[in-house]
Amino acid sequence: MKYSEYVQHDGLGLARLVAERQVSPADLLALARARLAEINPALNAVIHRMDTIADERAQAPVDGPFAGVPFLIKDLFQDYAGVASGYGNAALKRAGFKPAEHAEITRRFIASGVNIFGKTNTPEFGAKGVTEPEAFGITRNPWHSDHTPGGSSGGSAAAVAAGVVPMAGANDGGGSIRIPAACCGLFGLKPGRARVPGGPERSDLMHGAAVDHVLTRSVRDSAAMLDAIAGYEKGAIVRLHEPEAGYLAAIETPPGPLRIGVLDSSPLDIPLHTEALAALETTTELLESLGHTVERAAPAIDGLQLGRDFLSMWFVQMARQMDDVRARTGAAANEFELDTRAMAHVGRAFSATEYMDAFERWRGYRHALAEFHAEYDLLLTPTLANPPARIGEAATPKWQQIALRPLLRLPSARALIRSGIVEQIARENLKHVPFTQLANLTGVPAMSVPLHMTPQGLPLGSQFVGEPGSEALLLRLAAQLETAAPWFDRLPAVGGR
């Protein structure tokens, strides 16, 4: 098989060729590695190689829907026993930290038959919507290397978009599947809370706001992988029912006419880029041509308050993550990025009562979204407020870095919290990605669908947010959109391809 043939198939297509003995797993692995060698010096998508493990698996009998298909996992919460886990952090990299056991999601990826041969880049602890960690270097967008592939699953998105693999592991605590999908022209489904496992160490991470899945070029790969990884794990807070026939079978039937509410303004009351509005218009026109009803409507939610509450949880999570790394490695302060230290410093200053007040407001967001879904099947928004940012555009300005350093030496950030800094950070940090956190805090499934390209040749996705348990409906709509406006063969010209 030539690479030109390899890239024409999705994961299920490659698995079928392996099952029919038209190609071997070793052949597919060689093609994926050759493509990685072409693009990785420019894109920096993969930061850890797993060659011996992959070579052994390529020669072993393997079952599953993706048997023999090359695959990459994200270097964040998708631990592989005995393989370095860096999480975008200098201390873990320096210590060569290797987990003793697989994450449950990794076990299920392996059981699906994929052949994991590397780990992809991520910002430090997945804390940003771009992938520019100091410890592992910048990851670039295959469509235009001066722009970001998004984050925090930016390495996975870059590798899939560049044609290294048909799909790769990703996770999403505030948009980290959907943001890179939108930046790189991929399909990205964030499953609902507890739909897929998070254990054994991080079950119900961030109260279930963070979940794992994949980034894919085809909708059916996403559906088939969800079939493979979904389901109850020991100790999970709930046991959810799956569709009787499965998600892959579900997409064979198009959805009936849907009523879709569209939000065409930023929840932070910041003007949207004209291309974000153009992406929404492209999607709306396609939906209407397919018989769906689309009208302006949105849940009654204070977007700025939701942003503050999201960041309160996020900052506390950063503090816990730093404490965990210090316990594992004896890390010094300078082994964490300045932004991470600042987030953690603010996180430690929240009282338990303040944290619980923010967490209690999540219930109000769930109620408001449920009221919206009583009238509308889905909520449609831009995935991003702007086209993919230029490399370095989202970095903290030098003057802010200088101002932060003395503040970090203060015993507490209580004065900062009282000053309204969380609101300022919410506006600044979420202004490019104000739409994705709603699905995380409410625990509902959501997806980004790649239906628009800017005149500059950059992808820009549209987001759909469903009600609890609506993964099958989202996938059915995505498959319908994919048929009506195909994107699978739309590939960047990176690496001379």
Side-chain angles (χ1 to χ4, degrees):
M1 174 183 276
K2 297 178 180 178
Y3 176 77
S4 58
E5 299 170 278
Y6 170 81
V7 79
Q8 291 173 12
H9 296 279
D10 64 1
L12 288 174
L14 292 175
R16 179 179 58 80
L17 294 178
V18 170
E20 294 173 352
R21 299 184 184 278
Q22 295 186 46
V23 67
S24 72
D27 292 335
L28 296 182
L29 181 60
L31 287 165
R33 282 174 172 161
R35 179 58 174 162
L36 180 63
E38 287 180 338
I39 63 93
N40 212 48
L43 300 184
N44 191 36
V46 175
I47 55 171
H48 297 301
R49 294 289 292 267
M50 298 166 56
D51 291 326
T52 301
I53 291 169
D55 284 335
E56 291 175 355
R57 186 162 173 84
Q59 301 301 324
V62 177
D63 294 320
F66 295 105
V69 177
F71 190 76
L72 299 163
I73 53 176
K74 181 178 176 179
D75 190 30
L76 182 71
F77 304 142
Q78 296 183 352
D79 293 344
Y80 195 107
V83 173
S85 286
Y87 288 25
N89 172 250
L92 290 173
K93 180 181 181 181
R94 183 259 305 159
F97 170 68
K98 297 178 180 179
E101 61 179 331
H102 294 329
E104 179 60 25
I105 187 65
T106 303
R107 291 192 186 99
R108 297 194 188 188
F109 283 150
I110 293 168
S112 78
V114 296
N115 189 356
I116 302 170
F117 69 102
K119 302 183 75 176
T120 61
N121 202 10
T122 182
E124 187 169 54
F125 307 136
K128 295 181 179 179
V130 297
T131 303
E132 303 176 14
E134 294 173 8
F136 292 94
I138 293 167
T139 297
R140 298 176 180 272
N141 193 316
W143 290 95
H144 199 307
S145 61
D146 287 342
H147 292 260
T148 183
S152 63
S153 305
S156 290
V160 175
V164 176
V165 287
M167 58 183 175
N171 39 46
D172 190 318
S176 292
I177 289 175
R178 291 157 289 154
I179 292 167
C183 289
C184 292
L186 304 175
F187 178 68
L189 171 73
K190 180 200 84 72
R193 178 173 292 144
R195 180 65 64 191
V196 300
E201 285 195 9
R202 298 177 178 87
S203 186
D204 206 38
L205 181 65
M206 297 191 297
H207 307 294
V211 294
D212 289 272
H213 192 33
V214 288
L215 284 156
T216 65
R217 287 173 58 206
S218 76
V219 174
R220 71 172 191 162
D221 274 357
S222 184
M225 185 56 86
L226 190 57
D227 280 330
I229 64 175
Y232 181 74
E233 67 169 324
K234 240 187 302 188
I237 194 167
V238 294
R239 187 189 297 268
L240 302 178
H241 292 292
E242 311 297 336
E244 191 170 329
Y247 295 104
L248 182 60
I251 68 173
E252 296 176 4
T253 305
L258 300 174
R259 191 177 183 204
I260 299 172
V262 58
L263 174 60
D264 59 3
S265 60
S266 170
L268 301 181
D269 197 27
I270 296 171
L272 299 182
H273 193 282
T274 54
E275 284 302 317
L277 294 172
L280 208 55
E281 184 177 356
T282 299
T283 303
T284 297
E285 290 176 355
L286 180 59
L287 289 166
E288 290 175 338
S289 75
L290 294 169
H292 304 298
T293 300
V294 184
E295 56 192 52
R296 290 187 68 188
I301 290 172
D302 181 338
L304 181 57
Q305 184 62 57
L306 184 144
R308 285 194 294 255
D309 292 337
F310 169 77
L311 287 176
S312 298
M313 175 267 293
W314 199 259
F315 293 163
V316 173
Q317 173 65 21
M318 287 304 102
R320 292 186 67 246
Q321 193 70 58
M322 280 186 63
D323 289 346
D324 178 65
V325 171
R326 281 176 167 148
R328 292 177 188 270
T329 67
N334 64 3
E335 291 185 285
F336 300 95
E337 294 179 17
L338 179 63
D339 288 354
T340 302
R341 300 204 309 271
M343 286 186 276
H345 191 55
V346 174
R348 291 190 183 94
F350 284 110
S351 69
T353 301
E354 287 169 330
Y355 183 86
M356 286 308 299
D357 284 344
F359 183 48
E360 281 294 312
R361 283 191 289 272
W362 292 22
R363 181 171 52 197
Y365 306 141
R366 290 196 300 270
H367 180 77
L369 190 58
E371 289 286 338
F372 171 85
H373 280 128
E375 293 190 51
Y376 296 93
D377 297 294
L378 298 170
L379 171 65
L380 167 64
T381 78
T383 309
L384 310 173
N386 308 281
R390 287 187 172 273
I391 297 297
E393 185 178 338
T396 302
K398 290 292 184 184
W399 69 267
Q400 286 188 9
Q401 294 181 31
I402 293 169
L404 275 175
R405 293 184 188 280
L407 294 175
L408 292 176
R409 291 194 287 269
L410 296 174
S412 170
R414 289 298 306 168
L416 290 177
I417 293 175
R418 287 194 296 271
S419 74
I421 194 171
V422 177
E423 178 174 325
Q424 296 173 36
I425 294 173
R427 285 187 180 277
E428 184 62 29
N429 286 18
L430 302 181
K431 67 182 180 183
H432 299 299
V433 290
F435 299 103
T436 52
Q437 298 80 31
L438 171 63
N440 298 92
L441 297 198
T442 55
V444 300
M447 65 181 182
S448 182
V449 185
L451 297 174
H452 183 72
M453 296 288 290
T454 72
Q456 293 73 36
L458 284 165
L460 195 53
S462 293
Q463 177 185 230
F464 293 87
V465 179
E467 63 184 337
S470 64
E471 287 91 348
L473 174 62
L474 288 167
L475 287 164
R476 288 167 67 197
L477 176 61
Q480 184 186 48
L481 295 170
E482 182 183 36
T483 299
W487 60 75
F488 185 83
D489 293 328
R490 194 171 63 201
L491 295 167
V494 65
R497 299 287 183 176

